[in-house]
Amino acid sequence: MSAIEGLLAALPADRVVTDPDVMDQYRHDRALTATAGKPLAVVRAQCVDDVVATLELATATNTPVVTRGAGTGLAGGANAIDGCIVLSTAAMNRILSIDVGQRTATVEPGVLNGDLATAVAERGLWYAPDPSSRAICSIGGNVATNAGGACCVKYGVTGDHVLALKAVLANGTVINTGSSVRKNVAGLDLTKILIGSEGTLAVVVEVTVRLRPAPRPPSTLVAIFPSCEAAGAAVIAIDAVAEFSLVEVMDRTTINAVEDHLTMGLDRSAGALLVVQSDSACAYDDVVAADEVCVALGASYTAATADVTEGAAILHARHSAIPALERSGATLLDDVGVPKPRLAELIAGVEAIATARNLTIATFGHAGDGNLHPTIVYDPADPIAFETAKTAFGEILDVALALGGTITGEHGVGQIKRAWLPSQVGETERALMDGIRRVFDPSGILNPGKAT
Ligand SMILES: Cc1cc2nc3c(=O)[nH]c(=O)nc-3n(C[C@H](O)[C@H](O)[C@H](O)COP(=O)(O)OP(=O)(O)OC[C@H]3O[C@@H](n4cnc5c(N)ncnc54)[C@H](O)[C@@H]3O)c2cc1C
């Protein structure tokens, strides 16, 4: 029996797609530079049994399986491989329970991050991990990439909020990891092993997350610096005055793009702009203290506010970075991290690449975590420009590695960063990763060629 015949026999007919036009929508994520193969079939799973049947069949026929959430990934992790089954968990999108007493929620993997956040907010609770894509990305994808966001500087990434998982192994066996108990140290932490595994170890079919009480309204500081060095020094120095809930940076290229887009009166000659928020019980005192630090370190302009609407307007500038850049061309978003004292060197290294390659590269991101998104703008109609952009993308990874950093702070390795992994992770450590993959997936059918 062929894999397709097997799928059609094992699953209700509406779950299996073989129409090439429909399958085309399941071939790519949002990574522009990643290649995508042609799948044999797409399975739109609606329940755990669908996932089990698909994986049993895939194992029996030795067919590769690419699991797909909402397809918003930026590393090619969900891109199809020739002859694979794309296993979509998007339709498994029920919020199964919200336990206000325990402050936990259990959801299917296709639930969108933003939908979970809204549902728990209605119960006075907060799901903290806040990727900018939260309105369009799924919790299963967030778990598989260990997604981050702006609030991670204080509250941590997705993995810090996952208590338990239900997942299906390549051979169709259902496993349960972790516990909905808020403290649990029994045995090896299989939950943590699955988090960030980018669809290579198992298919996540249920996620129990930790919730928090609703956050207090934040106070906000904006500080403008003549140079990235001064802004970088401020990012370190403000750590000594409070624990901030958001510390974001924009470089000069980003500031100018945003000013072109929004006309907010931003100083086009500035070297860098910081947005800092605190949501502590003394939030305004915190940002005033940060303000003093920024002024002492040479900020040319600062403004602190406890007004939430004003704060949101300031943050809007940072959130507008990508739409502002997209007005000038296609964008290739990188995702690198460095130790915080080296932030200014990272930005300088990116500027040097932009100059050498005659490219626009705007750098912005989560300064408080040392995680930045240098974003290359290029003409999508010009194949040479695209090749140059790809080269610059790789050179940015090299700069981050040379600074003792990482090739990815939150988007994952996927397909597009795999070639750089050996430069970051030692041989023995990679062998351990390969060994773990073999234990979970002995025949190597889960997302081959991705992640490790
Ligand atoms: C505009 C924009 C802004 C973004 N901002 C951020 C940001 O701030 N922070 C951030 O971290 N990311 C960001 N991203 C990237 C992306 O949204 C995240 O990586 C997200 O976690 C991917 O979720 P998804 O549901 O789209 O997963 P997909 O893209 O479908 O898949 C991503 C990976 O997860 C695996 N996977 C998906 N579902 C499952 C499952 N059920 N079981 C096992 N493996 C699975 C896939 O195989 C793949 O390897 C952004 C993307 C866009 C387009």
Side-chain angles (χ1 to χ4, degrees):
M1 191 189 296
S2 74
I4 292 183
E5 286 166 351
L7 285 175
L8 290 168
L11 289 159
D14 64 338
R15 312 295 204 285
V16 184
V17 178
T18 52
D19 177 333
D21 290 338
V22 181
M23 287 201 295
D24 211 37
Q25 297 156 26
Y26 292 84
R27 289 177 57 223
H28 291 269
D29 65 10
R30 303 282 187 103
L32 297 176
T33 57
T35 56
K38 291 211 161 110
L40 206 61
V42 173
V43 173
R44 297 191 284 211
Q46 292 193 13
C47 58
V48 177
D49 285 349
D50 292 348
V51 175
V52 170
T54 304
L55 291 171
E56 282 175 349
L57 187 280
T59 290
T61 55
N62 203 28
T63 308
V65 175
V66 177
T67 307
R68 181 184 178 90
T72 69
L74 291 168
N79 277 19
I81 298 162
D82 279 337
C84 77
I85 298 167
V86 172
L87 175 53
S88 168
T89 52
M92 295 175 69
N93 60 1
R94 289 177 304 153
I95 295 175
L96 300 172
S97 63
I98 298 172
D99 185 332
V100 176
Q102 281 255 83
R103 290 211 297 262
T104 61
T106 299
V107 302
E108 291 185 328
V111 170
L112 299 182
N113 177 309
D115 289 347
L116 174 60
T118 303
V120 303
E122 284 162 7
R123 314 285 286 274
L125 295 170
W126 182 38
Y127 180 60
D130 61 345
S132 320
S133 51
R134 75 184 319 177
I136 53 172
C137 65
S138 74
I139 294 293
N142 292 172
V143 170
T145 57
N146 202 2
C151 79
C152 299
V153 65
K154 179 169 178 182
Y155 293 102
V157 293
T158 299
D160 297 312
H161 295 80
V162 176
L163 291 170
L165 294 171
K166 186 190 288 285
V168 187
L169 299 178
N171 65 8
T173 306
V174 177
I175 60 165
N176 291 285
T177 73
S179 161
S180 59
V181 172
R182 287 180 72 88
K183 286 180 78 184
N184 166 39
V185 294
L188 293 183
D189 195 339
L190 296 177
T191 309
K192 282 276 191 275
I193 288 178
L194 291 180
I195 290 165
S197 63
E198 301 189 60
T200 63
L201 300 184
V203 178
V204 173
V205 290
E206 197 177 289
V207 185
T208 298
V209 296
R210 180 193 295 266
L211 305 172
R212 295 176 178 276
R216 294 185 194 86
S219 288
T220 306
L221 166 73
V222 58
I224 291 181
F225 293 86
S227 69
C228 288
E229 288 75 17
V235 169
I236 307 289
I238 60 172
D239 271 351
V241 299
E243 187 181 24
F244 293 97
S245 52
L246 176 146
V247 183
E248 297 284 305
V249 69
M250 289 160 53
D251 74 346
R252 178 179 291 142
T253 309
T254 314
I255 293 169
N256 277 277
V258 170
E259 185 57 19
D260 288 343
H261 183 40
L262 298 179
T263 323
M264 298 175 76
L266 298 175
D267 177 0
R268 288 180 177 280
S269 68
L273 180 153
L274 284 186
V275 184
V276 178
Q277 285 191 329
S278 170
D279 62 1
S280 79
C282 46
Y284 187 64
D285 293 344
D286 291 346
V287 294
V288 167
D291 189 334
E292 286 165 8
V293 169
C294 291
V295 169
L297 288 168
S300 55
Y301 170 85
T302 59
T305 179
D307 185 300
V308 173
T309 311
E310 270 177 29
I314 293 168
L315 202 52
H316 182 56
R318 160 65 185 90
H319 287 149
S320 301
I322 294 177
L325 292 164
E326 282 173 344
R327 283 159 45 106
S328 310
T331 55
L332 198 52
L333 192 82
D334 219 323
D335 166 46
V336 285
V338 290
K340 282 204 290 182
R342 311 205 74 173
L343 274 174
E345 287 173 83
L346 174 62
I347 296 175
V350 172
E351 281 171 356
I353 294 166
T355 305
R357 299 266 167 215
N358 196 21
L359 282 169
T360 298
I361 311 181
T363 301
F364 53 87
H366 317 303
D369 282 325
N371 176 205
L372 299 186
H373 298 307
T375 299
I376 306 159
V377 186
Y378 66 96
D379 176 0
D382 177 354
I384 295 174
F386 182 52
E387 286 308 314
T388 310
K390 279 203 288 189
T391 304
F393 186 90
E395 289 172 344
I396 292 167
L397 302 184
D398 294 335
V399 169
L401 288 171
L403 294 171
T406 175
I407 56 174
T408 175
E410 56 184 22
H411 296 165
V413 172
Q415 182 200 111
I416 62 174
K417 294 190 171 174
R418 215 167 154 239
W420 280 266
L421 196 63
S423 304
Q424 180 173 337
V425 178
E427 247 175 64
T428 309
E429 292 78 3
R430 285 198 78 212
L432 279 171
M433 291 181 194
D434 288 345
I436 289 169
R437 273 182 90 148
R438 279 195 297 277
V439 168
F440 275 81
D441 173 23
S443 38
I445 59 167
L446 293 181
N447 224 357
K450 314 277 183 64
T452 64

